[in-house]
Amino acid sequence: MSQEWDAGRLDSDLDGVAFDTLAVRAGQHRTPEGEHGDPMFFTSSYVFRTAADAAARFAGEVPGNVYSRYTNPTVRAFEERIAALEGAEQAVATATGMAAILAVVMSLCSAGDHVLVSRSVFGSTISLFEKYFKRFGIEVDYVPLADLSGWDAAIKANTKLLFVESPSNPLAELVDIAALAGVAHAKGAMLVVDNCFCTPALQQPLKLGADIVVHSATKFIDGQGRCMGGVVAGRGEQMKEVVGFLRTAGPTLSPFNAWIFLKGLETLSLRMKAHCANAQALAEWLEQQDGIEKVHYAGLKSHPQHELAQRQQRGFGAVVSFEVKGGKEGAWRFIDATRLISITANLGDSKTTITHPSTTSHGRLAPQEREAAGIRDSLIRVAVGLEDVTDLQADLARGLAAL
């Protein structure tokens, strides 16, 4: 926005306000129209007052919009709101969650650098590191997520980043983020945390010592399965490099999707509480059912990292995975017998979804890679939505009856 416009009292004073207030109001800078809602700016380019004004903005000598590939007021509002919620100096929005990971590595790593990745990350994340980053000379190794001594032993002199999902997809494994940040920093490396499953409403990795947070905004930040997007958040010096990559390569978030995500953030805290309550009830119910061999959910006392989850998260999340009798055939019979829950690989939706990870989200991995990540053929993932939990239990009972 031009410095010649001062919104004054039209903008909210957010000094010292709480998380839920930031989720509703952070990032909005009202225009001379005095709008109450967040405006959408559909424009590819911007008009300058003079040739000198254009030159100064392109050179970064004065603030202001340049080109919507990397500066757009609606997208900037979303970025500022995420930065406020994560406690970051700056956030940078991208077209998808995978583009956010791409932007981090491409902007902060060079050929010859070494990256350590948790074994229990999303299948496409593994493919990105294995098939593409390695091709351009980045060394990649994998470490069990919770094994702090394993992380420490695997760090090399050229290790640049440690990359983790915590909780992981789909087994809800965790790592002690504060402890792992200490391991990384002691050896001069940075810690990147995919915070997609928790969102800043349940976990703020930067406050635990992580250097960078990434999100697929497609998931809980949207909350209704409408749009695709991603975001990276961290210190200004790092985000300057990410902006540079975005400016050149162009994996840009659209203003419309940014506006949808702004609306999603307004209800994020409320939705995550409801998601967590439903998931907890469903996980406890599943643990009591015949035909279920194991339930993976950090909210259960049986989960090996239940205490850690209580310590570093404000809720246990909405993803419940479980193993059924009968292997792949049993899992498919279970899924096909449901009639309410949506069979789809997306998550973070108000509608509950069910999927078979070993043949969908992790299907492109080699069998040995799936085994190393704990993705067995008997595993089913349910991303718990906002329906009445008794209806969800009744639908999963249909699946149990088919085993």
Side-chain angles (χ1 to χ4, degrees):
M1 184 177 293
S2 170
Q3 289 182 310
E4 293 182 17
W5 162 247
D6 181 6
R9 177 60 184 85
L10 291 179
D11 282 354
S12 299
D13 181 354
L14 300 179
D15 186 33
V17 303
F19 181 94
D20 288 351
T21 304
L22 291 172
V24 172
R25 293 185 175 269
Q28 184 174 9
H29 304 285
R30 292 188 171 90
T31 74
E33 301 294 340
E35 71 283 345
H36 189 235
D38 297 283
M40 287 186 275
F41 287 87
F42 293 127
T43 181
S44 57
S45 64
Y46 303 87
V47 177
F48 308 105
R49 288 177 172 79
T50 64
D53 179 31
R57 288 206 217 168
F58 268 84
E61 295 170 357
V62 297
N65 296 306
V66 178
Y67 195 64
S68 276
R69 186 169 65 244
Y70 62 103
T71 59
N72 179 278
T74 311
V75 175
R76 183 167 60 248
F78 169 62
E79 292 171 336
E80 290 184 6
R81 193 168 297 179
I82 285 289
L85 296 180
E86 285 287 9
E89 291 180 3
Q90 186 178 352
V92 183
T94 58
T96 65
M98 293 307 303
I101 299 171
L102 174 71
V104 168
V105 178
M106 293 297 288
S107 60
L108 298 179
C109 295
S110 303
D113 284 340
H114 178 236
V115 179
L116 284 175
V117 182
S118 162
R119 281 185 184 155
S120 49
V121 294
F122 180 48
S124 291
T125 303
I126 294 175
S127 295
L128 183 61
F129 279 97
E130 283 293 303
K131 294 183 179 180
Y132 300 103
F133 291 147
K134 279 187 174 182
R135 184 186 301 175
F136 293 97
I138 294 174
E139 299 175 32
V140 182
D141 287 307
Y142 298 89
V143 181
L145 177 59
D147 184 5
L148 291 173
S149 61
W151 286 102
D152 188 52
I155 294 176
K156 303 177 182 179
N158 61 333
T159 301
K160 192 70 172 285
L161 300 176
L162 278 60
F163 185 94
V164 301
E165 290 175 12
S166 184
S168 69
N169 180 15
L171 297 177
E173 293 178 288
L174 283 73
V175 68
D176 186 326
I177 294 173
L180 186 58
V183 170
H185 296 160
K187 300 267 182 92
M190 291 183 286
L191 175 60
V192 182
V193 177
D194 185 330
N195 198 29
C196 176
F197 272 32
C198 273
T199 80
L202 301 183
Q203 178 176 265
Q204 294 167 304
L206 299 179
K207 293 184 178 180
L208 295 170
D211 298 281
I212 296 172
V213 168
V214 298
H215 287 280
S216 170
T218 311
K219 309 302 191 297
F220 295 102
I221 287 174
D222 176 2
Q224 295 186 45
R226 299 164 293 193
C227 295
M228 302 195 78
V231 65
V232 184
R235 291 192 295 274
E237 61 185 281
Q238 300 158 341
M239 295 305 102
K240 181 180 179 180
E241 297 300 321
V242 177
V243 171
F245 174 74
L246 204 74
R247 178 173 184 166
T248 304
T252 307
L253 180 66
S254 80
F256 180 78
N257 289 11
W259 185 84
I260 291 289
F261 297 150
L262 283 166
K263 298 300 102 182
L265 287 173
E266 290 181 4
T267 61
L268 178 64
S269 186
L270 290 170
R271 287 187 289 104
M272 293 310 295
K273 289 174 184 175
H275 279 297
C276 290
N278 272 1
Q280 183 74 37
L282 207 61
E284 292 175 359
W285 177 83
L286 282 165
E287 205 171 35
Q288 303 303 315
Q289 305 307 306
D290 293 334
I292 302 295
E293 295 187 326
K294 188 173 185 180
V295 181
H296 303 271
Y297 185 66
L300 296 173
K301 293 181 180 179
S302 59
H303 191 284
Q305 296 168 303
H306 176 69
E307 190 174 317
L308 173 61
Q310 287 181 306
R311 196 164 71 241
Q312 72 180 16
Q313 298 172 199
R314 291 185 291 276
F316 301 112
V319 177
V320 179
S321 294
F322 53 94
E323 297 172 41
V324 298
K325 295 177 181 177
K328 173 185 167 183
E329 292 73 20
W332 279 22
R333 286 198 304 272
F334 186 107
I335 292 169
D336 290 347
T338 60
R339 289 294 177 267
L340 173 69
I341 298 171
S342 306
I343 303 175
T344 180
N346 193 35
L347 60 93
D349 201 310
S350 56
K351 302 178 181 71
T352 299
T353 67
I354 190 168
T355 192
H356 185 240
S358 72
T359 54
T360 58
S361 59
H362 292 71
R364 288 184 295 168
L365 302 183
Q368 62 269 24
E369 291 174 322
R370 288 198 299 272
E371 183 63 30
I375 310 299
R376 300 180 179 86
D377 285 346
S378 59
L379 185 72
I380 294 171
R381 187 192 75 189
V382 172
V384 185
L386 304 179
E387 303 95 338
D388 189 294
V389 72
T390 58
D391 293 328
L392 298 177
Q393 291 170 347
D395 201 35
L396 293 181
R398 295 185 181 106
L400 289 165
L403 293 176

